[in-house]
Amino acid sequence: MSENAITRRSFLAGSAGVAALAAAGGYMSFGAWKQACADEPASDEGSWFAYSMCNACSSKCGYKAYVKRGRLSKLIPNEYDAHAQGKICARGYGYPAIVYSEDRLTDPLKKNDKGEFEVISWEQAYQEIGDKVKAILDSDGPQALAMVQDPRPSGAYYTKRFMDALGSPNFYTHGAACNISKASGFSQVIGAGDFSADVENSKMIMYIGRSVADAVRPAHLLALQKAHDNGAKVVMVDPRCNNSTVFADEWLPVNPGTDLAFLLAMSHVLIRDGIYDAAYVAENVVGFDEFAAGVKDCTPAWAEAICGIPAADIERLAVEFSQAAPAACIDAGWRGAFGNQYANSGETARAIAVFNTLLGCWNQKGGALFLPSVSAGKLDEEKFPAVPKPEGKKVGSEEYPLASSSMGVNVFAAQRAKEGAIKGMFFYNSNMVAGYSNPVYLQECLDALDLCVVVDIQMSETALCADYVLPECSFLERLELPAFNGGKVPSVSLRDKVLDIVHPNTKPCDEIFTGLAEACGVGEYFPFTVEELADAQLKSVGLSLDALRKVGTISFPEKAFEYGKAPKWKTPSEKIQFVSEACVAAGYTPAPTWVAPAVTPAGGNQFRLITGKQAMHSHTMTANCEPLMAITQDYDLTRIWMNADRAEQLGISDGDEVEISNDQHTGRCRVKVTQRLNPTAVFLPPAYGCSSKDQHTAYGIGLRSTDFQAYQLENGYGSTMSHEILVTVKKVGA
Ligand SMILES: Nc1nc2c(c(=O)[nH]1)N[C@H]1C(S)=C(S)[C@@H](COP(=O)(O)OP(=O)(O)OC[C@H]3O[C@@H](n4cnc5c(=O)[nH]c(N)nc54)[C@H](O)[C@@H]3O)O[C@H]1N2
Ligand SMILES: Nc1nc2c(c(=O)[nH]1)N[C@H]1C(S)=C(S)[C@@H](COP(=O)(O)OP(=O)(O)OC[C@H]3O[C@@H](n4cnc5c(=O)[nH]c(N)nc54)[C@H](O)[C@@H]3O)O[C@H]1N2
Ligand code: SF4
Ligand SMILES: [Mo]
């Protein structure tokens, strides 16, 4: 943290300048906007700015957004924002074009008997949705309603409060399609769903299926750059040589879905040779002996036969780890290898938390840290009435008992809709149908609902399944609640309103959910504006909305992280648990042992289909953004990757068109032949294959991995197992 950073204290001492907002609007297409920007003189004269946060991925990087004559003219990343640290990525710069997209939803829509959407008024939409919610509550109770969302910061608050007010516990994030197995597996061992590798101070850092150079968060990339500059040993375990390789010392092209064998074998070496932190383990761990007995036979030779990493490398890496410890760890990853991909993802996450414990690296400099965060305190109940916690259990929590309770198994709620138990579903900033599991299956699930409401800014595949589509204004057109970010120095950032409303009949989420709550008879829980709530939340930590508006980000140095402080383990035993009763109840061994992935490719023309991010796209939400799709087209980025030796065996050359098929789907695309991929897999970039004709830029470009994915969930953890896919690939015309 720079000395110039704005802290809560320095702010209170009165440090900041004044922001003001332009208020001009008018619809303008992206092409016209681009031309107007090109025609603009370079000077900042007459421009205004407000602090906002990017919405193009989960990182929500903070920036200063300049407005000139009502149009966005410039973005300057905020140096003090926890995730941006003075940089934003290509998506951050390109995504604001969506504000001016001709495909924006402009009015509330209702599906008629012919299955076509008709424009209706907000009053009609609220009234009819409210009546249908009340009817479902009367006939089936609040358990028959569900919400899927993962927006931040306002959306998460308002959608949760709305569901709480209706009495429904069925509140889901996108987690089951992202990192539910990681969060849930870690929780079993360390009682926390995540940790932060102290990358910049590390002597040795291993990434298992995490690519900070493709799946970008600027702060993570900057930390890796520092580690590399400091001479840290950086090891990348990935079936694909991803773009982080520029900072890496080694690439281990593991067979997909087999990292667990690699991890158990490295643990075996540490224990066999007595080079783990025995004192730390003796003091902090329950179940070490069971784990040690379980990995006794997990030799490097055993692992090599499964994961493809040479036994000698496994031996050497374990020793190198022990020498670098405690300034060493395996990074927490995000999604790539054990977030939601395989039948063994949750158990792989457990094995990582165990391995880091053997290094004794928790909260050590250069190790793996639990960083502090600050959250809003208690608010005046008169103005912000508390909502009673819903009774009953979240749908899916019994069937998938290891699943993180805050995330929940979103697609299982959809499954229960198909089975008739869930009657009404809401989606906010979520495209479940295209992105979470098999789209045909998920569409059938949503078709079975009595009521499906989607709040989006464009016609997503999920919105196409809705009875009502409610248009939100874009992220640059709304003020949101403050975002409290954890970190070595925790901080709070703001998404302020930058632009005036572009389409007059769109609304921000706080107004939409307040309106829905009133129509559903629970409006008494929303007697405040977003400004009032934001200000109250900030006052509870000694700040104010005015204060944050002026600077965008304020930090809390008095809550800063301290090395060496023992973490509090929020596990049943209050120790680190190498063994878990919950895992046993779900059918796993007490301590993590080998679990095979669900499918294994047979060779010949059969491959496992895997995916991973491309730096210029996010999930399903950016493909319809013209400047970002232009990069795809310029660099021919929809191609499927295939290992060069396998391609040669199959007579496939770079650029050839191939047919990819399995029992779920058949599609065609061109091939990128490369040595940068494990031979057992093909790698499909994940942002393409949009099937909504109303997304004119994205529609029909490239293939979508979920089309090839069967609907199936990971035992106990409930992830969608997004890489348990076998496909055959053949050259078109061969
Ligand atoms: N550009 C971009 N950045 C993003 C996002 C985005 O959509 N686009 N989204 C954000 C979000 S929500 C997330 S969850 C993160 C995801 O962040 P990451 O998890 O880092 O992203 P991925 O690219 O999905 O996966 C990383 C790598 O895992 C590899 N991998 C696949 N299977 C295996 C396996 O079996 N074993 C191993 N060891 N590796 C494997 C892939 O080849 C890929 O290179 O990215 C965040 N940042
Ligand atoms: N095909 C594919 N599937 C994926 C992934 C992938 O990369 N490709 N990634 C996986 C991962 S890591 C994750 S985290 C999940 C993410 O899954 P989601 O969180 O569902 O993200 P998206 O698929 O991008 O869909 C977001 C939806 O929100 C809409 N939206 C954008 N801005 C706004 C806004 O301001 N307001 C509202 N109301 N809506 C808005 C977009 O138009 C889009 O329809 O997807 C998972 N599934
Ligand atoms: S990493 Fe890029 S896309 Fe994600 S929030 Fe930051 S700037 Fe936006
Ligand atoms: Mo994600």
Side-chain angles (χ1 to χ4, degrees), residues 487-524:
K488 279 189 181 154
V489 180
S491 60
V492 58
S493 287
L494 188 68
R495 173 178 287 152
D496 206 346
K497 183 173 153 85
V498 175
L499 296 167
D500 205 16
I501 292 281
V502 173
H503 299 289
N505 221 11
T506 59
K507 291 179 193 288
C509 82
D510 50 286
E511 284 182 31
I512 295 174
F513 284 97
T514 301
L516 285 172
E518 281 162 4
C520 295
V522 290
E524 78 262 28

Side-chain angles (χ1 to χ4, degrees), residues 71-387:
R71 295 190 312 268
L72 188 68
S73 66
K74 189 166 71 175
L75 297 175
I76 304 290
N78 191 339
E79 196 181 330
Y80 307 118
D81 176 79
H83 298 152
Q85 295 187 1
K87 305 268 186 289
I88 57 171
C89 76
R91 292 165 295 157
Y93 288 111
Y95 190 64
I98 207 84
V99 177
Y100 303 100
S101 161
E102 286 166 30
D103 294 340
R104 283 274 309 272
L105 295 165
T106 57
D107 296 275
L109 301 171
K110 175 185 179 178
K111 199 178 268 166
N112 64 22
D113 296 340
K114 287 188 253 154
E116 294 159 352
F117 284 110
E118 285 173 0
V119 171
I120 55 169
S121 67
W122 279 99
E123 291 69 29
Q124 185 183 346
Y126 286 148
Q127 177 75 45
E128 293 185 12
I129 295 168
D131 288 348
K132 289 187 180 175
V133 167
K134 286 178 191 161
I136 293 171
L137 288 172
D138 284 347
S139 59
D140 296 83
Q143 274 288 354
L145 294 170
M147 165 77 72
V148 183
Q149 60 75 45
D150 203 330
R152 271 158 295 145
S154 266
Y157 180 93
Y158 277 89
T159 54
K160 173 81 166 60
R161 194 172 175 90
F162 175 63
M163 293 310 280
D164 284 353
L166 295 175
S168 173
N170 300 325
F171 180 78
Y172 303 88
T173 70
H174 58 213
C178 175
N179 59 357
I180 198 166
S181 312
K182 161 189 147 166
S184 311
F186 285 172
S187 296
Q188 289 304 322
V189 182
I190 52 178
D194 211 353
F195 59 84
S196 301
D198 191 10
V199 176
E200 59 264 48
N201 294 310
S202 164
K203 290 189 188 150
M204 176 164 175
I205 174 89
M206 179 179 278
Y207 291 96
I208 295 194
R210 165 93 184 96
S211 176
V212 299
D214 300 284
V216 180
R217 168 177 287 181
H220 291 177
L221 192 49
L222 290 166
L224 177 57
Q225 190 186 350
K226 274 192 205 147
H228 176 68
D229 292 351
N230 292 344
K233 166 128 193 174
V234 178
V235 183
M236 205 167 87
V237 184
D238 193 322
R240 179 180 73 114
C241 183
N242 69 54
N243 287 310
S244 308
T245 188
V246 288
F247 299 117
D249 298 285
E250 275 187 61
W251 168 44
L252 304 173
V254 65
N255 292 331
T258 66
D259 300 274
L260 179 56
F262 170 65
L263 290 159
L264 295 173
M266 281 207 302
S267 300
H268 165 98
V269 174
L270 292 185
I271 296 170
R272 182 199 65 199
D273 295 354
I275 50 174
Y276 66 98
D277 190 334
Y280 186 83
V281 166
E283 199 173 324
N284 293 285
V285 170
V286 290
F288 172 79
D289 292 343
E290 272 143 298
F291 177 72
V295 295
K296 202 162 183 303
D297 297 329
C298 297
T299 61
W302 165 82
E304 175 178 344
I306 298 171
C307 71
I309 300 174
D313 288 336
I314 301 175
E315 294 270 0
R316 175 179 53 79
L317 287 162
V319 172
E320 286 176 2
F321 257 127
S322 77
Q323 288 163 349
C329 75
I330 297 178
D331 183 76
W334 197 334
R335 176 187 192 241
F338 51 95
N340 85 326
Q341 281 71 14
Y342 303 101
N344 60 19
S345 284
E347 293 299 281
T348 303
R350 274 217 288 164
I352 287 173
V354 165
F355 185 81
N356 281 344
T357 305
L358 294 174
L359 299 180
C361 67
W362 300 117
N363 278 357
Q364 298 301 316
K365 190 161 187 183
L369 317 179
F370 298 97
L371 297 178
S373 56
V374 170
S375 53
K378 218 171 152 31
L379 306 182
D380 172 9
E381 288 222 0
E382 288 252 312
K383 181 92 194 168
F384 308 100
V387 188

Side-chain angles (χ1 to χ4, degrees), residues 288-497:
F288 172 79
D289 292 343
E290 272 143 298
F291 177 72
V295 295
K296 202 162 183 303
D297 297 329
C298 297
T299 61
W302 165 82
E304 175 178 344
I306 298 171
C307 71
I309 300 174
D313 288 336
I314 301 175
E315 294 270 0
R316 175 179 53 79
L317 287 162
V319 172
E320 286 176 2
F321 257 127
S322 77
Q323 288 163 349
C329 75
I330 297 178
D331 183 76
W334 197 334
R335 176 187 192 241
F338 51 95
N340 85 326
Q341 281 71 14
Y342 303 101
N344 60 19
S345 284
E347 293 299 281
T348 303
R350 274 217 288 164
I352 287 173
V354 165
F355 185 81
N356 281 344
T357 305
L358 294 174
L359 299 180
C361 67
W362 300 117
N363 278 357
Q364 298 301 316
K365 190 161 187 183
L369 317 179
F370 298 97
L371 297 178
S373 56
V374 170
S375 53
K378 218 171 152 31
L379 306 182
D380 172 9
E381 288 222 0
E382 288 252 312
K383 181 92 194 168
F384 308 100
V387 188
K389 199 173 172 295
E391 285 167 15
K393 287 192 173 150
K394 193 176 289 206
V395 163
S397 59
E398 282 177 359
E399 295 80 356
Y400 299 94
L402 301 173
S404 148
S405 59
S406 57
M407 293 178 179
V409 185
N410 48 36
V411 289
F412 187 71
Q415 179 189 327
R416 296 296 286 146
K418 192 170 154 91
E419 292 161 2
I422 296 258
K423 297 276 168 54
M425 281 184 88
F426 289 82
F427 295 88
Y428 175 73
N429 202 133
S430 156
N431 192 5
M432 173 190 271
V433 169
Y436 296 3
S437 184
N438 186 278
V440 173
Y441 177 79
L442 291 172
Q443 186 180 334
E444 282 166 16
C445 294
L446 302 200
D447 285 348
L449 289 164
D450 290 353
L451 173 66
C452 180
V453 180
V454 172
V455 184
D456 208 303
I457 57 165
Q458 57 184 356
M459 192 56 89
S460 68
E461 288 85 346
T462 308
L464 284 172
C465 298
D467 302 305
Y468 297 89
V469 180
L470 304 179
E472 185 166 25
C473 60
S474 77
F475 71 108
L476 287 170
E477 302 163 76
R478 56 188 196 240
L479 163 73
E480 296 202 22
L481 298 174
F484 290 91
N485 290 317
K488 279 189 181 154
V489 180
S491 60
V492 58
S493 287
L494 188 68
R495 173 178 287 152
D496 206 346
K497 183 173 153 85

